[in-house]
Amino acid sequence: MTIRKFAALAAGTALLTLAAGSNAMAEDSVEVLHWWTSGGEAAALNVLKEDLESKGVTWQDMPVAGGGGEAAMTALRARVTAGNAPTAVQMLGFDIIDWAEQGVVANLNDVAEEEGWADVVPAALQNFSKYDGNWIASPVNVHSTNWVWINKAALDAAGGKAPESWEELVAVLDKMKENGITPLAHGGQPWQDATVFEAVVLSLGNDFYKAALNDLDPEALGSDKMKEAFDRMAKLRTYVDDNFSGRDWNLASAMVIEGTGGMQMMGDWAKGEFLKAGKKPGEDFVCIRFPGTQGSVTFNSDQFVMFQVGEDKQKAQKMMASAVMNPEFQSAFNVVKGSVPARTDVPNDAFDDCGKKGMADLAEANSSGSLFGSMAHGHGAPAAVKNAVNDVVTQHFNGELTSEEAVEELKNAVAAAQ
């Protein structure tokens, strides 16, 4: 079945199901807590909604805005404390482990074993999809965070060559500044600052990234190379407009889409915004790895963690877990979302050039040992450490710390958070 036929069948069957009457629908429903509220994200999520509705499962939406998911986790705590957990919750990395340790998540082993999830989900993702040997979540995608999205016209006006090194990046940004646009479209929120920071750290070497932001090695955190990373962040700050503070990431994407901004350093969920605006890779925008990081990937994976619910809701819950892992859904969803499938057996036929590059880069990094958990997005270290790093990075980016002070603060903050 083609993706187009799959989507059409989902939509058509959903209408028939709705017409069949609300009594049947009431028996099978899922309440889903998530933070996919931007245009591109909502469009991608609708693929899953329509698929479940085609199977007679009602979708009860519980969106909580906030790109990093912090607000959603706050809302979840209130629900779990009240003894009324949602059916499924969008979640990232170490947050999954934290909730699993509380004994409130469901067991999906029967579905996972029947459908052979262990054979197609990369081991790096299974580290978060499973807890104590049991499947507790369905991974819906793999995002990578070390991307740069560039307005094609702005790049052409700046010389036309996509930067491959730090020096080339600075040259392009300088030219964009001369051309009267904001060179770096950015939102001043801690998780966005940290997304840029981890790409800068990765550009200084795989071993350095792993030692500093995955292994939390004090020597790497306090090194001269870390000072160089902060110096580069200070340089990037000079290319950001004065109104960046508090700006949501998708509004920064819109600046690049509209041409008022030259480029954005953001995970591949940004591509969904470009696609929703009718833009095409290679024609309207260019996707590259952060200069100096080609061949390496920092990743995060959105997963739907299933929480313990009553027996009357377990059938629909398992149907949702299975639907998320359906290969055709994984393709249809990720084509829209901008990410790549969480399964290794999904063909790349339906993906655009940036999507194909993302899948190839992920496969290369996975096989070469250069696939690293994103610190900024909860896959590099537990939440306390991530938040400590984010705080220091944001203070420095806002000019509250010198690079020397930031290095010392970073080393101390990580030590205190462990």
Side-chain angles (χ1 to χ4, degrees):
M1 183 185 294
T2 66
I3 299 304
R4 183 174 295 177
K5 288 180 179 178
F6 173 72
L9 176 62
T13 311
L15 293 174
L16 293 175
T17 304
L18 286 169
S22 60
N23 289 338
M25 295 276 292
E27 295 176 4
D28 294 317
S29 65
V30 291
E31 184 181 16
V32 184
L33 172 61
H34 64 91
W35 61 87
W36 280 330
T37 56
S38 76
E41 293 172 326
L45 191 62
N46 198 51
V47 176
L48 180 59
K49 292 181 184 179
E50 290 183 349
D51 180 38
L52 286 170
E53 287 172 355
S54 76
K55 297 166 183 170
V57 178
T58 305
W59 181 286
Q60 299 177 28
D61 210 34
M62 189 182 174
V64 179
E70 291 89 352
M73 292 303 97
T74 300
L76 176 60
R77 279 186 209 97
R79 289 290 301 272
V80 172
T81 300
N84 183 30
T87 313
V89 181
Q90 177 193 2
M91 208 173 289
L92 299 171
F94 282 88
D95 283 343
I96 299 175
I97 296 173
D98 290 343
W99 281 103
E101 288 175 344
Q102 297 182 38
V104 293
V105 297
N107 186 313
L108 302 175
N109 284 348
D110 51 352
V111 180
E113 290 170 6
E114 180 181 349
E115 299 181 357
W117 294 2
D119 298 327
V120 296
V121 176
L125 271 67
Q126 290 190 41
N127 289 337
F128 300 103
S129 308
K130 298 168 72 174
Y131 178 75
D132 200 21
N134 298 315
W135 286 88
I136 60 172
S138 297
V140 68
N141 60 14
V142 179
H143 277 298
S144 51
T145 64
N146 56 316
W147 286 100
V148 182
W149 308 91
I150 311 176
N151 180 286
K152 179 68 162 56
L155 180 62
D156 289 343
K161 182 182 184 297
E164 297 179 18
S165 67
W166 172 254
E167 291 74 20
E168 290 181 0
L169 174 63
V170 169
V172 171
L173 289 167
D174 282 340
K175 189 62 178 176
M176 288 179 172
K177 197 170 191 176
E178 289 177 16
N179 291 340
I181 64 173
T182 298
L184 181 58
H186 181 67
Q189 297 169 339
W191 72 270
Q192 293 192 58
D193 298 339
T195 299
V196 178
F197 176 72
E198 69 180 18
V200 170
V201 171
L202 184 63
S203 73
L204 293 172
N206 288 344
D207 291 343
F208 177 56
Y209 181 91
K210 184 177 184 299
L213 299 188
N214 285 168
D215 298 340
L216 309 178
D217 176 27
E219 186 174 339
L221 290 167
S223 66
D224 290 341
K225 189 167 284 191
M226 185 59 75
K227 179 184 177 297
E228 184 178 357
F230 279 111
D231 285 342
R232 291 187 175 188
M233 288 294 289
K235 180 65 174 176
L236 291 176
R237 173 65 181 85
T238 67
Y239 299 111
V240 174
D241 67 296
D242 292 335
N243 299 318
F244 79 104
S245 183
R247 177 186 291 139
D248 287 336
W249 69 269
N250 53 306
L251 299 181
S253 300
M255 293 172 63
V256 180
I257 291 169
E258 296 162 3
T260 60
M263 65 178 72
Q264 180 186 23
M265 298 163 182
M266 183 53 60
D268 50 18
W269 48 90
K271 192 184 77 169
E273 299 300 301
F274 285 84
L275 298 181
K276 189 172 185 296
K279 304 302 182 181
K280 295 182 179 179
E283 296 181 16
D284 303 303
F285 67 97
V286 175
C287 56
I288 64 170
R289 292 293 171 184
F290 188 94
T293 71
Q294 180 60 47
S296 302
V297 169
T298 45
F299 82 92
N300 74 326
S301 171
D302 289 292
Q303 308 211 23
F304 280 114
V305 179
M306 303 299 166
F307 277 70
Q308 292 175 3
V309 293
E311 288 186 17
D312 59 325
K313 298 179 180 179
Q314 290 176 8
K315 176 187 173 185
Q317 183 180 64
K318 290 178 179 178
M319 289 175 70
M320 178 178 173
S322 177
V324 168
M325 289 299 294
N326 182 292
E328 292 190 3
F329 162 73
Q330 290 255 333
S331 181
F333 176 90
N334 286 294
V335 162
V336 177
K337 184 69 168 67
S339 44
V340 301
R343 299 179 61 116
T344 57
D345 59 345
V346 178
N348 71 0
D349 306 54
F351 290 80
D352 60 30
D353 289 347
C354 289
K356 286 182 170 66
K357 175 175 172 55
M359 295 175 79
D361 286 352
L362 178 66
E364 177 187 357
N366 189 40
S367 63
S368 66
S370 53
L371 177 61
F372 305 107
S374 162
M375 166 65 76
H377 297 274
H379 287 69
V385 175
K386 177 192 75 172
N387 293 336
V389 171
N390 288 5
D391 287 346
V392 174
V393 169
T394 289
Q395 288 179 56
H396 173 266
F397 199 71
N398 289 333
E400 298 169 18
L401 297 171
T402 65
S403 293
E404 292 85 356
E405 291 168 341
V407 170
E408 189 66 22
E409 285 290 327
L410 183 67
K411 185 174 68 172
N412 295 337
V414 169
Q418 294 184 75

